[in-house]
Amino acid sequence: MRRLYQIVGVANIVIVPASMASEMDVGESARSRIAWRLLPFLFLLYVANYLDRTNIAYAALGMKGDLGLTDSVFGTASGIFFIGYFALQIPGALLVERWSARLLLAITLITWGALTTLTGFVHSAHQLYGARFLLGAAEAGFFPGVIVYLSHWFIYEDRATAVARFMSAIPIGFIVGGPIAGKILGVHWLNLTGWRWLFLLEGLPALILGIATLFVLPDRPKEVGWLRSDERGWLVSKLEEERRAKAHVEHMSIWQALRHPPVLILTVGLFFMGLFFTYTGGYAFWFWMPTMLQRLTGWTDVAQIGWIGAIPFIGGLVGMLALGWSSDRTRERRWHFAAPQLSAAVALIAWLTFPHSNALLVALFTLVGFGTVAYLPAFWALPSAFLSASAAAAAVGFINCTASIGGFFGPKIIGDISQKTGSFTGGFAVMIACFVIGSVLVLICPRQRAT
């Protein structure tokens, strides 16, 4: 008689063949091994990415006076990063799919690390514009490349959790970056002010990690020796099953992929949400939060602002990991996308409604920090649910490409409003509208097809 295993559930007992139980064990082992081998390193790369992308938010506390930057100029300098970022999204994603993730990511890291360091030598607003534009172009292929790369290693059921763990680097980057920036801003070495040292020093991790990528990061499961043959076979088989399930779109050209209805749903939705809403509100908060804290509280100690500025992103980190796990468990994406942003809108409405205090500001900013990052894993699990291979790579690049435009408008709009009114009230109203409208748009999109 064939041997059987009992798997005990909460409400019942399921009897499965021993061969199936063995396959489940192999699958669990492979999934665990891959997660522990790849995600910590990718996480470090993304921490370096966000340190270099957003350190201008804290550098502004010293840079604006030295370079004579107005709020409007600073908003433009923060956002112009995304003009350069816009152009190279699709090529980066396709190179990961068709060439080599290891080589592309290494080149990208080394290039943006060098450009971040060079930003420490700018002496005018126009030089700052140029440095930020080039930095955006250098970083463009990184994020879509990693999203495509994760689809080479993680089955669909694990993808939102994998994205959540990877993208938890966003709040971690702010959590560690705030106190570090506050400390560096207080130094004056070799007749260079602290904000210059902030750029000089924070470009180094990307350079070092770029070199390490060449030796640490494998391209495909078939290339690694740290997976057992049965684990490698299980993973390749599962990914092949997903590919066959999406065979009706597998052979689409890139142009056909971009015209495919699910891609258009995602792209149009995220385009408008990114251009005018989701990314507009999120990046407005990320780039302006240290300055908002300084002005709304009256604090002058930049080290204190750095430490307090980390708190909102602790809330974001907890929310991202929890909602990424929940989204995979329930296989639901839309409400996991919308709920955090609606929470951020409620927090800003509360600030405009209730009597002000520093404690209330920090608490509400924590809810905004949660809202601006916790939705990300649920959304970025969507493209590979519909598409695979080059079609998915093109879709990810195109979606992130259009979304990046919102990263330009968000900081710029807040800067222009602050410059004209001397207040962040109008900027908060814009952010509230962005979060609410963005949530509504994604909720009215048709439900994704699970694979």
Side-chain angles (χ1 to χ4, degrees):
M1 182 176 181
R2 186 169 57 179
R3 187 181 177 192
L4 298 177
Y5 276 68
Q6 287 187 347
I7 298 180
V8 181
V10 174
N12 53 16
I13 297 176
V14 179
I15 307 297
V16 299
S19 59
M20 185 181 297
S22 177
E23 181 181 352
M24 291 168 60
D25 291 341
V26 170
E28 287 299 316
S29 175
R31 294 160 75 185
S32 176
R33 196 185 303 271
I34 291 166
W36 280 106
R37 284 279 186 163
L38 298 182
L39 290 177
F41 186 72
L42 291 171
F43 167 86
L44 286 177
L45 299 187
Y46 209 26
V47 169
N49 181 267
Y50 259 79
L51 285 176
D52 290 348
R53 179 183 302 190
T54 62
N55 54 16
I56 192 174
Y58 283 97
L61 299 178
M63 181 191 340
K64 288 179 67 177
D66 287 354
L67 299 185
L69 306 181
T70 64
D71 281 357
S72 181
V73 170
F74 170 69
T76 301
S78 299
I80 205 169
F81 169 97
F82 295 95
I83 302 300
Y85 192 73
F86 175 85
L88 300 176
Q89 298 283 297
I90 296 176
L94 288 172
L95 283 171
V96 169
E97 180 64 47
R98 297 181 176 181
W99 182 47
S100 168
R102 178 175 60 87
L103 294 176
L104 175 71
L105 295 181
I107 292 169
T108 300
L109 281 152
I110 292 169
T111 304
W112 96 54
L115 288 169
T116 298
T117 299
L118 291 175
T119 307
F121 296 103
V122 301
H123 287 89
S124 69
H126 287 94
Q127 290 178 1
L128 182 61
Y129 289 165
R132 292 288 295 174
F133 175 87
L134 291 175
L135 180 64
E139 291 189 16
F142 177 78
F143 176 77
V146 172
I147 295 299
V148 173
Y149 180 73
L150 292 175
S151 71
H152 297 167
W153 289 89
F154 292 88
I155 61 176
Y156 179 72
E157 294 94 309
D158 297 335
R159 217 159 281 160
T161 299
V163 172
R165 292 177 182 175
F166 164 66
M167 297 190 74
S168 65
I170 296 176
I172 288 289
F174 283 101
I175 291 168
V176 302
I180 291 173
K183 184 69 174 179
I184 295 175
L185 287 174
V187 308
H188 196 90
W189 300 326
L190 303 177
N191 292 321
L192 293 176
T193 55
W195 68 266
R196 294 188 185 277
W197 280 110
L198 183 61
F199 289 119
L200 291 170
L201 294 177
E202 290 196 346
L204 295 178
L207 289 168
I208 295 169
L209 288 169
I211 296 170
T213 297
L214 294 171
F215 302 96
V216 174
L217 201 64
D219 279 313
R220 300 275 184 170
K222 294 180 180 180
E223 300 174 5
V224 298
W226 42 262
L227 280 176
R228 301 196 312 262
S229 59
D230 56 345
E231 293 171 338
R232 188 161 44 247
W234 177 89
L235 177 61
V236 171
S237 173
K238 287 293 184 182
L239 293 175
E240 178 64 20
E241 286 178 14
E242 290 185 12
R243 190 197 66 80
R244 287 197 300 268
K246 294 171 281 193
H248 64 291
V249 293
E250 180 68 20
H251 300 292
M252 289 193 301
S253 68
I254 295 170
W255 176 243
Q256 288 172 324
L258 298 181
R259 291 184 296 153
H260 185 58
V263 181
L264 289 178
I265 290 169
L266 293 172
T267 301
V268 172
L270 192 56
F271 178 83
F272 287 108
M273 288 183 290
L275 179 58
F276 298 110
F277 309 120
T278 303
Y279 272 35
T280 299
Y283 275 105
F285 179 73
W286 293 351
F287 281 114
W288 280 97
M289 189 268 294
T291 301
M292 290 175 177
L293 276 178
Q294 184 183 57
R295 293 186 187 173
L296 294 175
T297 63
W299 294 331
T300 57
D301 185 348
V302 291
Q304 180 185 16
I305 294 171
W307 282 103
I308 298 298
I311 295 175
F313 297 97
I314 295 175
L317 174 63
V318 173
M320 175 177 282
L321 294 176
L323 291 187
W325 171 84
S326 174
S327 180
D328 273 344
R329 184 179 64 85
T330 61
R331 300 174 72 85
E332 197 284 327
R333 308 301 189 194
R334 297 186 306 159
W335 275 105
H336 285 82
F337 178 97
Q341 293 177 81
L342 294 174
S343 299
V346 169
L348 292 176
I349 292 171
W351 176 253
L352 298 178
T353 304
F354 297 123
H356 294 174
S357 72
N358 290 349
L360 177 65
L361 179 67
V362 173
L364 294 179
F365 270 16
T366 299
L367 196 54
V368 177
F370 160 78
T372 57
V373 296
Y375 72 91
L376 290 165
F379 182 84
W380 286 112
L382 285 172
S384 59
F386 297 108
L387 301 168
S388 58
S390 296
V396 169
F398 190 51
I399 290 167
N400 201 47
C401 171
T402 54
S404 68
I405 301 175
F408 169 76
F409 282 104
K412 179 168 176 55
I413 289 171
I414 300 301
D416 289 346
I417 293 175
S418 174
Q419 183 71 28
K420 291 178 181 179
T421 66
S423 168
F424 288 118
T425 299
F428 285 162
V430 171
M431 291 164 65
I432 291 167
C434 289
F435 295 138
V436 172
I437 297 172
S439 300
V440 170
L441 283 176
V442 81
L443 287 174
I444 63 177
C445 286
R447 294 184 181 274
Q448 72 273 15
R449 178 179 60 83
T451 57

